[in-house]
Amino acid sequence: MKESYAFKDSRSAGLVLGANDRNLGYLELLLGTELFLKGTMVSASDPAVPMAALFTRLEMVAEERGGLSEAEIFMELQALGENRPVQHGPDSLCIAVAGRTVWPKTAAQERYVLALRSSQVVVSSGPAGTGKTFLAVAHALSMVLGGKKNKIVLTRPALESGESLGFLPGDLSQKLDPYLKPLYDAMEYLLSPVQVKRMEEGGIIEISPLAYMRGRSLNNAVVILDEAQNATRGQMKMFLTRLGEDSQAVITGDPSQVDLPKRSDSGLLEALQVLEGVDGVEILQFSADDTVRSRIVRDIIKAYGKVKGD
């Protein structure tokens, strides 16, 4: 059966379909049929989902965000299947950073953004590509640039390479750069490298190895502990007790990627149990269905999840 959808105008069609209709092929893949575009009318035969419902949603989101990426189209298709309303307008759960707007793309991300707004300690765990680190960095930048916090402290265990930091070249910042690259990638998506560098030089962004946090008191800051699955139980307790009343801690990690000699030594795994029910602490669990990095990453995570003993 043939279905059609008429965009409001050519501008709306362009926002949904992208420059040179680059999103058209992706939409055909998702709908399982060929799309035909004539002016502001798009039509198809036997689409996998109701065209009017999907394109109405996409048009609304595209108008709000100034365009759509493939990931955003896919997430809106998922949200349609879950009957979730479109997030838009002044009450939407967006994060504003230096003129750019970051939007949660799944129900879990929406809960995450709410937790970041309301809780002093936020613990998020789940597989790669679910936006845990990116949303934490976006939130931290918005708090600092909005004048609500004085600085951002970035930290993570330096474990993966199996080398001591002392054997890596450069000063402390240069030694940590390889370990903190995912955090820098998130920041440089939202700000220019020059802006990030200036914030570092001004002490607004501070990097510190987790092992060096002992004895400190962190005040008026957003503190992000990334790759927390590789923090030991002692390190996790030490980190959490550095927090001042006017600071916020955001802890992110993937329990399936513990690199410690003993998985049971992971501070993240212990924290997920110990902190449950503590006032001011919010714990969020992401799943493979929340993966927004790409469809292939989501499918890879699900495939590995089926392997016995993984």
Side-chain angles (χ1 to χ4, degrees), residues 1-170:
M1 184 174 63
K2 188 174 181 178
E3 292 189 33
S4 299
Y5 179 81
F7 291 103
K8 288 190 299 184
D9 49 39
S10 58
R11 179 182 175 276
S12 291
L15 289 174
V16 172
L17 300 177
N20 300 315
D21 298 334
R22 65 170 184 249
N23 290 335
L24 196 60
Y26 184 68
L27 284 163
E28 288 178 332
L29 178 66
L30 293 181
L31 293 172
T33 186
E34 188 175 2
L35 294 175
F36 300 93
L37 185 63
K38 185 176 181 180
T40 58
M41 178 79 71
V42 62
S43 58
S45 297
D46 297 319
V49 298
M51 280 186 62
L54 176 61
F55 278 91
T56 298
R57 187 181 190 98
L58 293 179
E59 191 169 16
M60 188 181 302
V61 174
E63 287 279 355
E64 185 82 19
R65 304 181 190 182
L68 290 172
S69 66
E70 288 187 1
E72 287 172 318
I73 292 172
F74 180 68
M75 289 303 151
E76 290 305 320
L77 177 63
Q78 279 199 320
L80 176 65
E82 297 167 1
N83 293 316
R84 285 194 286 117
V86 180
Q87 279 289 336
H88 67 96
D91 297 325
S92 57
L93 298 175
C94 62
I95 303 173
V97 181
R100 301 195 67 171
T101 305
V102 176
W103 301 83
K105 296 182 174 69
T106 67
Q109 285 194 355
E110 290 173 6
R111 292 192 295 270
Y112 190 28
V113 172
L114 281 172
L116 290 170
R117 290 181 178 182
S118 61
S119 300
Q120 189 176 8
V121 177
V122 180
V123 185
S124 62
S125 69
T130 50
K132 304 183 302 297
T133 298
F134 179 75
L135 288 175
V137 169
H139 167 75
L141 287 172
S142 72
M143 295 294 284
V144 167
L145 295 174
K148 296 178 181 178
K149 300 294 179 189
N150 286 343
K151 67 179 179 179
I152 302 168
V153 180
L154 308 174
T155 186
R156 65 177 285 183
L159 177 67
E160 289 84 354
S161 70
E163 298 178 10
S164 166
L165 288 175
F167 290 102
L168 297 176

Side-chain angles (χ1 to χ4, degrees), residues 111-241:
R111 292 192 295 270
Y112 190 28
V113 172
L114 281 172
L116 290 170
R117 290 181 178 182
S118 61
S119 300
Q120 189 176 8
V121 177
V122 180
V123 185
S124 62
S125 69
T130 50
K132 304 183 302 297
T133 298
F134 179 75
L135 288 175
V137 169
H139 167 75
L141 287 172
S142 72
M143 295 294 284
V144 167
L145 295 174
K148 296 178 181 178
K149 300 294 179 189
N150 286 343
K151 67 179 179 179
I152 302 168
V153 180
L154 308 174
T155 186
R156 65 177 285 183
L159 177 67
E160 289 84 354
S161 70
E163 298 178 10
S164 166
L165 288 175
F167 290 102
L168 297 176
D171 58 22
L172 181 59
S173 177
Q174 292 169 324
K175 292 175 190 289
L176 276 175
D177 275 352
Y179 297 98
L180 294 170
K181 192 69 173 93
L183 296 167
Y184 278 106
D185 287 344
M187 286 191 290
E188 291 177 1
Y189 180 85
L190 299 165
L191 303 175
S192 72
V194 172
Q195 289 173 304
V196 174
K197 186 67 175 177
R198 286 176 181 166
M199 291 175 74
E200 279 190 90
E201 291 172 348
I204 299 172
I205 296 174
E206 176 188 336
I207 59 175
S208 176
L210 183 58
Y212 289 18
M213 298 287 280
R214 188 175 300 279
R216 298 189 60 185
S217 180
L218 300 170
N219 297 304
N220 203 24
V222 180
V223 192
I224 300 174
L225 170 58
D226 196 35
E227 298 292 340
Q229 74 275 3
N230 289 327
T232 66
R233 290 181 292 177
Q235 286 176 328
M236 180 63 74
K237 181 180 178 181
M238 176 270 293
F239 170 79
L240 289 167
T241 55

